[in-house]
Every structure is written in structure tokens, then in C-alpha cells.
Amino acid sequence: MSEKQTVDALTKFTLSRHKDRPGVRDYVSHIFTDVLELHGDRSFGDDPAMYTAIARLEGIPVTVIGHVKGHTVQANIASNFGMAHPEGYRKAMRQMKQAEKFGRPIITFVDTPGADCGVGAEERGQGLAIAENLRDMMGLRVPIISTVIGEGGSGGALGIACANRVLMLENATYSVISPRGFASILWKDPTREKEAAQTLRMTADDLLALGIIDEVIPEPEGGAHLDHIAAADVLKVNILKNLSDLLEKDKEMIYNERYEKFRKMGQYKIIE
Amino acid sequence: MSELFKDLFKKAQYITIPDSIKNLPDSKKKSKEEVSSEPKIVCTKCKKEVAPDKYAVALRVCPHCGAHARLNARDRIAMTVDEGSFEELFSEITSANPLEFEGYTEKVEKLRSQTRLNEAVVTGRARIHGEACMLAVMDSTFMMASMGSAVGEKLTRLFEAATVERLPVVIFTASGGARMHEGTLSLMQMAKVSAAVGLHSDAGLLYITVLCDPTTGGVVASFAMLGDVILSEPKALIGFAGRRVIEGTIGKKLPEDFQSAEFQLEHGFVDAIVPRAELPEKIALIIGLSKGGEAR
Ligand SMILES: [Zn+2]
């Protein structure tokens, strides 16, 4: 562990986007059984960048949601590099509301550079789609566990990450903007990427210290991309541990605890 | 209540002035001589010169093209609320520097003295055409009204207080999005405020947003788009992603009206575009028609 902590933030950011890093489909096949993928937002279409399914986790019925990235260029093009469109966020919310109806806990896997930034996304209300997910996820009465498995890119990540427990893989990152974007905007110098990654405090350890995430999940030596099964095994144990804890609580407690958890986030100053 | 708003709203010595300019702050009511000595005002949209007195009377709306100039929070509140009705809340909250970002503390301090605001949003209790509400006004002169922890906290408190007091919430949005200087903490404010919007809504209460130029990024992807009724000022820029980002993605120029209020109306995301002069009356109308809500 101590050796790994010396890995700098930009290296972790690069690792978090590694093409061989396990994605939602890899984790799903190792962690769940009786998996049935369900498609579409029942309004516009089916977004291949957003995965939604029902399944069992050690026998417990659950709803599974996650951004989709591919291991090859073709697969990445097909899933838009994990950048979901408004219909992707609406598809996720449709499944999350159904999860609440049937009392299924929700397990999400966060892995996106950000929400899609195209003309179609604007025309179909990307802002509204994410906003509704934030409000409605925060209001759900079933347990939600989110894990940032790779890249946690801004609002596009948060759109499926308003959870009772937010876990993060050791080499995953989670940020309001990419290091390059941060350096370009605040320093007008995109080459200061390394410094930006450090300043942004976007690594799992940093975010644990800031109270934004709840747990850091260790990865196999060298990173999750080197051993998908070992990474999935450790993650499964940690999801199960959190789930069994959350299943002890009644619906209102599930809602209240999630509200209070996010309510406390932020650091500000009182003057006078 | 802060000193700033005390001297702005508690004064009783208003002279008789036409209704159209009654709500303008003192700074806009200049005598002829003062007006003529002022620097020339040029409309940022059509680039035509505007006589300062005309401009003030028209609520900072260009008489040539109808463009609505950006307003600071003070001016906006003055032209929106019933005289003397604004009581500022949570003004004691300002930004910390959680990431210890170099220069951020100094920047906030400087803006605090320049704008006489403690943060990029002003929150409080008000009456608009007689209707009581909780009001928030974002001020784009304060770091483009970006949302960091302080803005998020003020808005969350406003929704929570409105829920307890069973009052509608009215927010005039204008923002560049999440405040980068506070990193992921700024991102989390989107979830925090949206949760409070949900709490208020579940209590059967009304929330109106007025999208003003420019409303973008993380503010669009959270509370700005969550109003029961979403109004917009004409020609306001409203969008999730920045124009340059989209142009970079698609590799070509976007049409002039892309992400305008009119574009959003056409695509179904804005209920109505309302000229500035009619906003208070329309807001009061909506409040008056939305009092039958019950807690879920
Ligand atoms: Zn003009």
C-alpha cells in the first residue's frame, strides 16, 4: 500500500483511463449472476454508453447501472468512449425508479470522461437529464452503492453516483474537470497537467480525506488492468459488505443518510 | 442583513416616479447633468450606442435590439422585489480555500471588496408583487457566479428554510458552472443543492427559475433546470457544454442562436421567455396559481 501511494496523481489519471482496465461489463460478469441487460429510455432511444441490467448479487436481486467503455478503438467508438447522452441518463433513471418500485438495491459503476458534449446532447437536454438524475437519485428509498472504477468525469459521473456509499478503486480518479482542462482554464497553460492533477485532489486517497468518498478499494499489484478477476473479487467483497450493512436500514433511513451525507459536503467560511 | 442591503432597501425617502422605474436602485436615478457626463454605453449585442438615461429607464434593456444586459445581484433585486421587502439571509457565508489553490483566497477577498458581496449568490426572503418567497440571485460579476461550496451551501439553506416556512423559491440563475478552484467539492454541490430542491418539491412547494445570461455548465446540470416553472430572459445563453468545447468536438462553427433562450424554448426546455420588465408580475402570477400543493 505505502509503495503505491507514492504514485503521482497524473500517473493515476492515466491508469484510470488505461484501455485494458476492467469496465462495467467485466465487473458484471464476475460479480453478478442471472444478469439481464435492459435497453432504452422509452422516449428517444438506447444509449450504448450507459449499461443497465437487473441481476443477482449473491442471491439478492439488484439493479446494475454503469458507463460503458471499450477495450478496443471500435468498441470505444460504439460506446462513445463512455460519454453518455441525455437518453443514457434517462435510461439509468428509468431503471433506478423501477429498482425502487421492486425494492432492488442499486449498484452503479462510474467510468466516464464526462457527459457527451455534442449538438444532439444539447438539443435533447443534457443539463436537464443530469439534473433530474441528481435530484431523483437523492430521493430514492432503496440503497445505492456506487464505485468509481476508472474515470469519474464531472457531472457525467455524478449523474449515476449520488449513492449511500461511494467507493473508489485505488487508481481511479474523480474530478470536476480533467487536469488538462483545469490547467488550460486556470493557468492558460495545458502543459501544466501534472501539477493540475495534484492540485485538483482527484485521487481516491485525496477524496477520502475530503469526505467525498467512503472507501478506497485496493487494486491488484500494478493496477486492475493486469488482473480483472482479482480486481472484481476484491470489489465484490466490498460491495457486499456495504450492502449487507445498508439492508439493515429502513427506507427513510436510507433516504435520510444519503441526504445528510451529501449535505455535509463542502468547505466554506463564516465571516464576522 | 448586510450593510449593503440595509441602505438600499430600508430607505423611505422615495419620490414619486413612474412605475416602470420605481424599482430601480438609487444609482440609476441620475439627474440630467449627471447623465450627460457619464461614459457612453454601448450595447454588447448590437454594438449601438445607448443613451444612459434611456437605458436605465428600460431596465438595462437595449432600446435598439432588445438585448438584456447582465445585471448584478443588487440591481436585479432592486428591480424585482417589493420596495423594502428584501431581507438577506446567510450573507455570512463565503468561500474557503479547501484545495489551497494559489491566489484563490486573494481573488475572493478582492471581489468581496469590489462587489460588496460575500459570495456569487445573494439569498434572502422577499415579496414580489405581494407574494412572499425565498429569493436567490446569482451575480456574474463575482467569479462568473460559479458554484463552489459557499454558493452550494447558501442555496441548500435557502431551500431548507423555504421547506420549513412553506414558501416558494425563486432563483435568478447566471453562472459559468462549477467553480474549478474547489475541485470535486464544487461538483458535489450539484448533488447537495439538487437534493434540497427535491426535499422542497416533495413538500408540495413551488420552485421557479429565471434563466439569465449566461446560465451554463454544472448549474444547468443541477438546480437551474429543476424549476417547476422555468422562465428565461430573451436571448440569454443557456447550455450544458461550452460553445467552444462543442465546436471542438464537431469540428465546425455553431449557429449564432445555438443555446439561446429561444433555442431552449424551441427544444422544450424553457416554459416561457419573459422580458425583464414583465418578470415580477409573471412570477407573482405563477406563485398565485400554485398554492394548492401538498406534501407527498
Ligand atoms: Zn442592442
Side-chain angles (χ1 to χ4, degrees), chain B residues 17-44:
Chain B
I17 45 172
D19 273 345
S20 59
I21 59 163
K22 193 166 68 183
N23 288 328
L24 278 173
D26 291 354
S27 61
K28 297 292 172 302
K29 291 176 216 125
K30 300 271 165 68
S31 67
K32 270 267 152 58
E33 304 86 280
E34 279 174 297
V35 165
S36 57
S37 66
E38 272 189 15
K40 282 175 184 156
I41 297 171
V42 175
C43 171
T44 53

Side-chain angles (χ1 to χ4, degrees), chain B residues 1 7 70 157 168 218 232 291:
Chain B
M1 190 156 95
D7 58 65
R70 293 178 185 178
R157 288 193 189 189
S232 173
K291 290 185 172 171

Side-chain angles (χ1 to χ4, degrees), chain B residues 88-134:
Chain B
E88 194 179 4
L89 298 169
F90 321 125
S91 65
E92 68 280 10
I93 297 172
T94 188
S95 295
N97 188 358
L99 303 190
E100 291 166 0
F101 183 79
E102 204 187 322
Y104 180 42
T105 304
E106 294 71 19
K107 190 163 187 171
V108 170
E109 294 282 328
K110 193 173 154 204
L111 277 163
R112 281 179 54 200
S113 67
Q114 271 174 9
T115 62
R116 291 154 73 210
L117 299 173
N118 287 336
E119 251 310 319
V121 66
V122 176
T123 48
R125 221 185 293 273
R127 271 184 293 105
I128 299 175
H129 275 239
E131 299 286 0
C133 64
M134 290 293 189

Side-chain angles (χ1 to χ4, degrees), chain B residues 42-48 50 55 61-67:
Chain B
V42 175
C43 171
T44 53
K45 284 265 152 67
C46 71
K47 317 282 178 212
K48 284 186 186 149
V50 189
Y55 198 60
V61 175
C62 173
H64 310 296
C65 75

Side-chain angles (χ1 to χ4, degrees), chain A residues 122 174 259 263 265 269 271, chain B residues 92 94 153 160 241 259:
Chain A
E122 292 292 323
Y174 194 4
Y259 189 96
R263 181 69 190 84
M265 289 186 194
K269 213 159 61 182
I271 39 181
Chain B
E92 68 280 10
T94 188
E153 182 65 23
E160 289 176 344
Q259 295 180 323

Side-chain angles (χ1 to χ4, degrees), chain A residues 52-71:
Chain A
T52 64
I54 49 175
R56 285 184 196 274
L57 176 57
E58 289 296 321
I60 306 161
V62 294
T63 289
V64 184
I65 313 273
H67 303 103
V68 180
K69 279 191 183 178
H71 299 303

